[in-house]
Amino acid sequence: MKQNQGLFLESELAAWPMAAENFARIRRAVDEGNRLALSAPSAPWHIEKMAVNHRRASTTAKTDAASVAARPCFLCPANRPANQSALRWRDFEILVNPFPLSAQHFTIASTRHEPQSIGGRFEVMAHLAREMEGMCVFYNGPRCGASAPDHLHFQAVAASDVSNLRMNIAKERIEGIGDSDEATLSLPPSTSTPFPFFIIESTDDKALSRLSERIIDALGNLSACSCGEEPPVNVAMLYDLPSGTTLTYIIPRSKHRPAIYGNGEGQMLVSPATIEMLGTVVCSRHDDFNRLDLPTATAILREVGLPHEDMKKAISYLMATHRRC
């Protein structure tokens, strides 16, 4: 698929001036000073900021049930822009995202209008990550950055554009929960990152799916997630061809948006999704970009991430259910 997706992107941009200009803006971001590191090069967890004004609609999207019901679904074929074509992949369609975060950015939308939900779909996501080699495939939960919570979709961006996707920090492996060496489970050291998350390294998609579903179940067991809905999570996957290993990050969330979010004095339109949780804080207003510093960015990510105490509860639940199996 790698060659096809590159040709597809270029053909779409040739026929779609608005999308072409947005991609050109992303490709110029570093040269124009619109993508800057906030962390020191030696930091174990890197945070950077990026000014992307064409992301304003996504950042400010109203995702409550009433607002979603009142607008047409922009991922359904009947409501897409006339310029937008699609590549069929299984029960999904690959679309060029006209409001990119990366030099390559695709949305992979279900052919059915069905709610955004990760349950039962980890194996499909792993297949997608393997076929879209060199791309980071990610999932924004319905309360974690998805601007279309009513339509199942994944996204994919160039892996080289995602901060912290290949962390060099030491990982603390959790023994006895994964499927031996087919799917191992680790955590980053608590002092290395602003929030805790799960790291799965797997060589078998079914083992990855089993372990991931158990994690979702454990997160759903937390009192904050007892509403019966999917627990708030972001998920990112990268397939490493030389080793045949799929690297998966499951990032539990406590909040959709931070307290600083808004248009008022001193507020910022920063609404974290997967890309932000992996270290690139997207600012759709240059004033926010200019004001955002490392302490503020770190505080935002820590606030919307899962508290360490809740992560300990989820791990205890995983251990207990594993012993009962």
Side-chain angles (χ1 to χ4, degrees):
M1 187 192 292
K2 186 175 182 180
Q3 183 178 7
N4 287 343
Q5 72 195 29
L7 293 173
F8 176 58
L9 173 61
E10 294 309 315
S11 67
E12 286 289 275
L13 298 189
W16 198 352
M18 182 271 286
E21 174 53 32
N22 288 344
F23 273 88
R25 186 179 297 116
I26 286 294
R27 292 165 180 171
R28 297 193 305 263
V30 173
D31 293 338
E32 295 179 351
N34 289 324
R35 186 166 188 162
L36 299 174
L38 294 175
S39 304
S42 59
W45 180 260
H46 294 276
I47 297 179
E48 62 181 8
K49 60 181 178 178
M50 182 165 63
V52 191
N53 61 6
H54 60 242
R55 295 293 297 182
R56 182 78 57 84
S58 178
T59 301
T60 61
K62 293 182 179 181
T63 57
D64 60 280
S67 297
V68 169
R71 56 103 174 114
C73 175
F74 53 85
L75 292 182
C76 285
N79 305 318
R80 293 175 194 161
N83 308 67
Q84 192 170 42
S85 302
L87 282 179
R88 185 67 180 259
W89 182 80
R90 301 191 181 190
D91 293 328
F92 292 83
E93 289 183 312
I94 299 175
L95 310 166
V96 168
N97 191 315
F99 306 107
L101 290 168
S102 165
Q104 296 185 67
H105 191 166
F106 300 94
T107 298
I108 302 94
S110 172
T111 55
R112 297 182 295 274
H113 184 75
E114 56 185 323
Q116 182 79 331
S117 176
I118 192 64
R121 297 184 170 106
F122 284 99
E123 195 169 346
V124 170
M125 190 175 177
H127 291 169
L128 184 61
R130 184 162 57 251
E131 294 196 30
M132 297 189 81
E133 183 194 346
M135 305 290 285
C136 169
V137 175
F138 63 93
Y139 168 86
N140 290 330
R143 292 176 286 157
C144 301
S147 53
D150 54 331
H151 195 125
L152 173 63
H153 66 285
F154 304 107
Q155 295 183 63
V157 296
S160 57
D161 286 341
V162 181
S163 295
N164 301 306
L165 192 58
R166 300 176 186 268
M167 293 190 306
N168 293 320
I169 62 174
K171 298 186 289 290
E172 298 176 351
R173 181 167 171 176
I174 304 175
E175 300 290 348
I177 293 181
D179 284 24
S180 184
D181 291 331
E182 291 183 337
T184 62
L185 183 63
S186 303
L187 300 175
S190 59
T191 56
S192 299
T193 61
F195 51 86
F197 54 90
F198 296 98
I199 306 167
I200 302 174
E201 295 169 278
S202 58
T203 55
D204 180 86
D205 293 342
K206 293 187 182 301
L208 164 62
S209 179
R210 286 192 296 269
L211 181 53
S212 299
E213 296 289 354
R214 290 183 57 205
I215 289 172
I216 295 299
D217 178 57
L219 294 173
N221 185 65
L222 297 174
S223 58
C225 304
S226 59
C227 54
E229 298 178 356
E230 173 177 293
V233 292
N234 295 110
V235 182
M237 287 190 189
L238 171 69
Y239 179 71
D240 181 66
L241 181 61
S243 65
T245 300
T246 301
L247 175 67
T248 301
Y249 289 177
I250 299 180
I251 306 170
R253 297 280 295 271
S254 65
K255 297 178 66 175
H256 180 191
R257 286 166 171 158
I260 201 173
Y261 177 85
N263 283 301
E265 184 177 354
Q267 293 184 304
M268 295 181 176
L269 290 178
V270 173
S271 184
T274 304
I275 295 300
E276 284 80 7
M277 300 307 286
L278 287 175
T280 300
V281 180
V282 176
C283 301
S284 60
R285 301 186 304 190
H286 272 276
D287 179 59
D288 294 344
F289 178 80
N290 293 333
R291 290 190 295 125
L292 187 69
D293 56 17
L294 180 59
T296 304
T298 302
I300 287 172
L301 298 178
R302 182 176 290 120
E303 180 184 351
V304 301
L306 194 71
H308 284 279
E309 286 306 310
D310 283 344
M311 182 61 123
K312 290 177 182 177
K313 293 176 184 177
I315 293 171
S316 294
Y317 182 86
L318 275 170
M319 292 286 193
T321 54
H322 178 73
R323 285 194 292 269
R324 291 198 297 268
C325 292

